[in-house]
Amino acid sequence: FQALRQISQRTISTASRRQLENKVPEHQKLFQEDNDLPVHLKGGVKDAVLYRTTMILTVCGTIYALYLLGVSSMPKKQQ
């Protein structure tokens, strides 16, 4: 039982060391570059798509809310 436990611990610990690489210095260089981009767009295409999607949903939601506010402020016509 003890031997099996040692083997499993060794396998797990060596496998995780190989898979995980410290990418923090790379990301620090990327985000500290002076390339006139705002920090929320420095991540690349994925960040740009996420930002534009958020802006589109925000603008559409605001327009829809204003439309509903306008409709609800009009009195209903009596028949």
Side-chain angles (χ1 to χ4, degrees):
F1 183 71
Q2 185 69 18
L4 181 62
R5 191 168 145 202
Q6 279 184 331
I7 291 171
S8 66
Q9 284 179 344
R10 191 177 309 140
T11 305
I12 291 171
S13 65
T14 56
S16 64
R17 259 190 238 129
R18 281 187 227 133
Q19 290 176 354
L20 297 178
E21 181 184 338
N22 187 7
K23 296 183 180 182
V24 172
E26 296 171 20
H27 288 167
Q28 284 177 336
K29 287 179 189 175
L30 174 73
F31 284 100
Q32 290 176 355
E33 278 182 10
D34 188 18
N35 54 6
D36 294 331
L37 282 175
V39 73
H40 58 272
L41 294 177
K42 285 191 176 189
V45 175
K46 187 173 85 170
D47 282 351
V49 168
L50 186 61
Y51 174 73
R52 288 191 180 122
T53 303
T54 303
M55 286 298 111
I56 289 170
L57 288 172
T58 302
V59 169
C60 290
T62 302
I63 291 171
Y64 186 62
L66 291 173
Y67 167 75
L68 288 178
L69 185 63
V71 167
S72 64
S73 67
M74 300 291 176
K76 291 185 178 181
K77 293 182 180 179
Q78 300 289 330
Q79 290 194 12

